Amino acid sequence: MTSAGNSTAGSAQGYLDDSRNEAVLVYVDGAFVPRHEARVSVFDSGFVLGDGIWEGLRLKNGRLIQLDAHLDRLFEGATSIALDIGLSREQVAAAVNETLARNGMTDGAHVRLMVTRGVKKTVNQDPRFVIGKATIVIVAEYKTPRPDSKIRGLSLFTSTFRTSTPDVFDLRLNSHSRLNLIQALIQAINAGADEALMLDPQGFVASCNSTNFFIVRRGALWTSTGAFCFKGLTRQAVLDSWRAAGLPAEERPFTLAEVYSADEAFITGTLGGVTPVTKVDGRVIGNGTPGPMTGRASEHYQAWVTR
């Protein structure tokens, strides 16, 4: 069984411990408080039912990577669920930058920007019981992806939990509700893997539980169509940078059989960028080591986002 004490060394979301994080200030509805004092109400919509949206941003060399794209997605998600953030785009960006400034951060930080519908009069589902404005929390921490994950590559396990269709649960919303993805990850952890690979309702490969998934076949990158997964901004940046270099990349349906016989595989995410995958369901991918095309994809991505 999983527990808080389990090692996260192999997690796709793993990072190196940094003592500076003990002293970070957290933005909570306009106030900056020490991390161990940061609180939201037990009547908050996010705590009660996961009613909220979020974005994860990466600070590199004094610049928030793809800030405009993250704000686009945040406000599109808010509009979709009829959530009034209560701040303009410029005000949200200013709050994020002020959080970084208060913590003296200029590089190597990961930011989680969270917005919920706000405090409720009582613990129920109906949004009409919300009293007051939306709750906004910004957590900035120093996070360096674990280098061993890049060196050895990650192991994936295909979960029995499927990704959902937009009419059931739209993964592009970046909703606080992530229970099905957590269930998939628990299966993978208990199977001895680092991350869960998830299929779509038709049985094609969709994505991982917290990252997007790519394979390399005959020099081309393949990733899912995006119809049944969160279309990550890092995923898109990898596709854009690869194509800008004149190299082939396809968004297409593909099966587990095509994964097992792929030349290489990797995942993409805000924290880790491009991280190699060397094993899926106990099957060794390629020669079992991070491949050259994965390294090339990482180089193109890093150049693209820091250009």
Side-chain angles (χ1 to χ4, degrees), residues 28-29 39-52 114-124 130-131 133-137 176:
V28 183
D29 287 334
R39 304 284 188 272
V40 295
S41 170
V42 295
F43 289 91
D44 188 84
S45 300
F47 179 78
V48 172
L49 284 169
D51 184 2
M114 297 169 278
V115 184
T116 75
R117 202 175 298 275
V119 176
K120 309 194 80 168
K121 181 179 180 181
T122 187
V123 286
N124 67 10
V130 169
I131 51 177
K133 59 183 182 178
T135 299
I136 302 176
V137 175
H176 280 213

Side-chain angles (χ1 to χ4, degrees), residues 159 161 178-188 196 198 209:
S159 171
F161 291 96
R178 295 264 147 174
L179 193 56
N180 63 323
L181 304 180
I182 294 170
Q183 287 177 295
L185 177 56
I186 289 171
Q187 279 191 326
M198 300 180 71
N209 59 276

Side-chain angles (χ1 to χ4, degrees), residues 56-77:
L57 301 95
R58 186 78 176 154
L59 179 70
K60 189 175 179 66
N61 297 328
R63 176 173 168 265
L64 285 164
I65 296 174
Q66 297 179 283
L67 175 60
D68 284 337
H70 280 289
L71 291 175
D72 285 344
R73 187 167 63 183
L74 180 77
F75 277 86
E76 182 176 348

Side-chain angles (χ1 to χ4, degrees), residues 56-216:
L57 301 95
R58 186 78 176 154
L59 179 70
K60 189 175 179 66
N61 297 328
R63 176 173 168 265
L64 285 164
I65 296 174
Q66 297 179 283
L67 175 60
D68 284 337
H70 280 289
L71 291 175
D72 285 344
R73 187 167 63 183
L74 180 77
F75 277 86
E76 182 176 348
T79 299
S80 178
I81 63 173
L83 191 162
D84 181 6
I85 294 176
L87 298 177
S88 67
R89 284 176 62 103
E90 293 74 21
Q91 289 172 319
V92 171
V96 172
N97 283 310
E98 179 63 16
T99 303
L100 294 170
R102 291 286 186 111
N103 288 293
M105 295 174 169
T106 58
D107 188 38
H110 183 270
V111 179
R112 178 59 69 95
L113 165 61
M114 297 169 278
V115 184
T116 75
R117 202 175 298 275
V119 176
K120 309 194 80 168
K121 181 179 180 181
T122 187
V123 286
N124 67 10
Q125 189 184 64
D126 194 330
R128 291 172 294 184
F129 284 84
V130 169
I131 51 177
K133 59 183 182 178
T135 299
I136 302 176
V137 175
I138 305 171
V139 179
E141 297 174 291
Y142 291 102
K143 286 187 175 180
T144 300
R146 298 186 65 90
D148 47 319
S149 296
K150 303 278 189 178
I151 295 169
R152 67 173 176 83
L154 297 178
S155 171
L156 307 184
F157 172 81
T158 303
S159 171
T160 59
F161 291 96
R162 301 294 181 95
T163 57
S164 54
T165 55
D167 60 322
V168 174
F169 186 89
D170 191 348
L171 289 170
R172 302 187 197 191
L173 286 177
N174 255 14
S175 164
H176 280 213
S177 304
R178 295 264 147 174
L179 193 56
N180 63 323
L181 304 180
I182 294 170
Q183 287 177 295
L185 177 56
I186 289 171
Q187 279 191 326
I189 292 170
N190 288 337
D194 302 315
E195 178 95 336
L197 185 62
M198 300 180 71
L199 307 181
D200 69 23
Q202 280 73 51
F204 294 105
V205 174
S207 70
C208 295
N209 59 276
S210 70
T211 55
N212 285 113
F213 180 70
F214 285 76
I215 58 175
V216 179

Side-chain angles (χ1 to χ4, degrees), residues 197 205 213 215 217 254-262 265 280 285:
L197 185 62
V205 174
F213 180 70
I215 58 175
R217 293 179 63 91
F254 59 93
T255 67
L256 278 175
E258 291 169 304
V259 172
Y260 297 150
S261 59
V280 177
I285 303 301

